[in-house]
Amino acid sequence: MNTHAAPGGTGTENEDSVPDFLSYPDLASRALAGSVVAANDELFAQRENLISAHRPAFDPADFGHKGKVYDGWETRRRRDEGNDWAIVRLGVPGVVHGVVVDTAWFRGNYPPFVSVEALAVDGYPSVADLLEADWHTLVPRSDALGDTANHYAVDSDRRWTHVRLSIYPDGGVARFRVHGEAVPDPDFLTGTIDLAAAENGGSLAYASDAFYSSPAAIILPGRARNMGEGWENARRRGPGNDYAIFSLAQRGTIAHVEVDTSYYVGNAPGWVRLSVADLAQSTADLDTTPDGEGGQWTDILAKVAVQADTRHRFLVDASVPATHLRLDVYPDGGLSRLRAWGELSEEDLTRARARYDATRP
């Protein structure tokens, strides 16, 4: 299946046709340490732009020695048979549910057809090794539109480490997004780990407000470099408070947390609260109501005052297994990062290994 957002110079999605797979994190993103390891041609615009985290930009007056400068990947006009391609190593291997081939700003030079293939390989293969490998089709050759975020749903339950975008016959693509569920190697889930981290499989499940930026940013690797790399909600003018709920990477027990308001100088929360829920053995739906009125949540950090532009570290109040973590900010305000350090039980680690083994091609 493929759908197309309305064109208009941004490649952004039309809210009436946003596919469900966009709720999953972009496993290819540079923010998760993804890399475009190879491309057969990048004469007009470099391949690395494909996985930039920011939206494609366009300056009509920006020309270089080779022609118009585009914020994307663009190949030369092909004068022979064949097609162009780029290979992306996923920052976090996982099960792919859909891809976006965004041709924003490419109007007379976009590829009319695209396809996507995937590969699962251990270790750190060379480009030569990748080119000789046995690739599996995720998206068969399909139509693509210019200046559009082209969506392609993927039906696969396998864990992939690399994807290859092919364009026919040539042209330009601004961004390539690979949305899916992270499936980390369980050998790296032993000991104390960040149970909320996207690189370990954590993901955003719900947000009360993401006006300026999504809470998904606060579980990304590393420290934020500025306020634009965290979560900022709108200024609340009524009662209540804002909150975000995260699915933990694996069921585990949190021992201590970090709440980082770095760079949020005049717009940090006044107070925060953290609570957890364990849905591993439950058939109940995730409680996303304000204040967690369903009684599903257990406080691990009672409501506490926080300071602006500060990385806070707290020991948790309760040691309980959890599958979900809820962050409440009062009454609103932004965070740079959230960390939830804890451990998996032997039972939960065994469950993680079973998931990993079941998704291997």
Side-chain angles (χ1 to χ4, degrees):
M1 180 194 81
N2 66 290
T3 59
H4 302 289
T10 61
T12 54
E13 290 78 21
N14 183 325
E15 291 184 358
D16 293 332
S17 61
V18 173
D20 292 341
F21 69 73
L22 291 182
S23 63
Y24 294 100
D26 176 12
L27 303 178
S29 174
R30 175 67 72 179
L32 276 177
S35 175
V36 187
V37 298
N40 71 308
D41 186 280
E42 51 182 330
L43 185 131
F44 286 116
Q46 62 190 22
R47 65 182 192 255
E48 285 81 6
N49 290 330
L50 279 173
I51 59 172
S52 294
H54 60 80
R55 290 183 182 274
F58 184 76
D59 181 353
D62 191 5
F63 282 82
H65 178 71
K66 296 178 181 179
K68 182 71 191 72
V69 175
Y70 279 89
D71 183 10
W73 167 53
E74 186 182 7
T75 65
R76 74 191 77 201
R77 298 190 188 210
R78 180 173 284 273
R79 303 307 188 196
D80 55 11
E81 298 297 321
N83 68 278
D84 294 322
W85 51 264
I87 296 176
V88 176
R89 175 182 48 75
L90 299 180
V92 179
V95 176
V96 178
H97 293 299
V99 301
V100 182
V101 180
D102 189 347
T103 56
W105 306 111
F106 289 96
R107 294 170 175 167
N109 49 353
Y110 65 92
F113 307 99
V114 301
S115 67
V116 179
E117 297 169 292
L119 177 68
V121 59
D122 294 329
Y124 306 94
S126 67
V127 173
D129 292 334
L130 294 173
L131 292 176
E132 295 176 359
D134 183 18
W135 291 81
H136 302 264
T137 299
L138 295 185
V139 178
R141 179 167 167 157
S142 303
D143 294 342
L145 299 178
D147 196 24
T148 298
N150 297 276
H151 303 135
Y152 305 92
V154 171
D155 182 14
S156 171
D157 59 0
R158 303 293 93 184
R159 175 186 184 269
W160 307 108
T161 61
H162 295 73
V163 290
R164 178 167 63 191
L165 169 64
S166 296
I167 58 176
Y168 303 88
D170 54 38
V173 174
R175 295 291 186 270
F176 180 44
R177 307 300 190 198
V178 182
H179 294 275
E181 298 176 76
V183 183
D185 185 337
D187 287 343
F188 294 94
L189 298 178
T190 59
T192 300
I193 64 169
D194 182 359
L195 293 168
E199 60 186 331
N200 289 332
S203 62
L204 176 67
Y206 181 84
S208 64
D209 185 281
F211 184 85
Y212 291 107
S213 53
S214 171
I218 67 178
I219 58 172
L220 290 175
R223 299 196 66 198
R225 295 171 296 178
N226 54 54
M227 194 174 68
E229 295 187 352
W231 170 37
E232 185 181 3
N233 42 57
R235 299 191 186 206
R236 180 170 285 270
R237 301 308 189 192
N241 69 282
D242 286 312
Y243 58 98
I245 297 173
F246 301 90
S247 297
L248 295 179
Q250 305 290 333
R251 182 177 184 266
T253 302
I254 300 172
H256 60 95
V257 297
E258 295 181 15
V259 177
D260 191 350
T261 61
S262 293
Y263 303 107
Y264 289 87
V265 178
N267 51 356
W271 302 263
V272 302
R273 171 190 169 202
L274 290 170
S275 52
V276 296
D278 184 4
L279 299 186
Q281 309 298 328
S282 173
T283 58
D285 293 332
L286 180 65
D287 176 16
T288 60
T289 59
D291 298 323
E293 295 172 354
Q296 201 173 68
W297 300 97
T298 300
D299 279 1
I300 60 170
L301 178 69
K303 185 176 179 180
V304 60
V306 293
Q307 303 300 318
D309 196 26
T310 301
R311 186 174 70 157
H312 309 76
R313 302 177 66 200
F314 301 104
L315 296 174
V316 304
D317 291 339
S319 180
V320 293
T323 58
H324 291 78
L325 173 67
R326 174 175 172 139
L327 165 69
D328 282 87
V329 296
Y330 299 90
D332 54 32
L335 264 70
S336 295
R337 291 292 185 266
L338 174 68
R339 305 298 186 211
W341 299 99
E343 296 185 359
L344 277 63
S345 68
E346 285 300 323
E347 178 184 356
D348 292 317
L349 187 57
T350 298
R351 191 176 293 116
R353 292 188 188 279
R355 164 74 166 156
Y356 177 80
D357 291 340
T359 57
R360 290 177 67 89

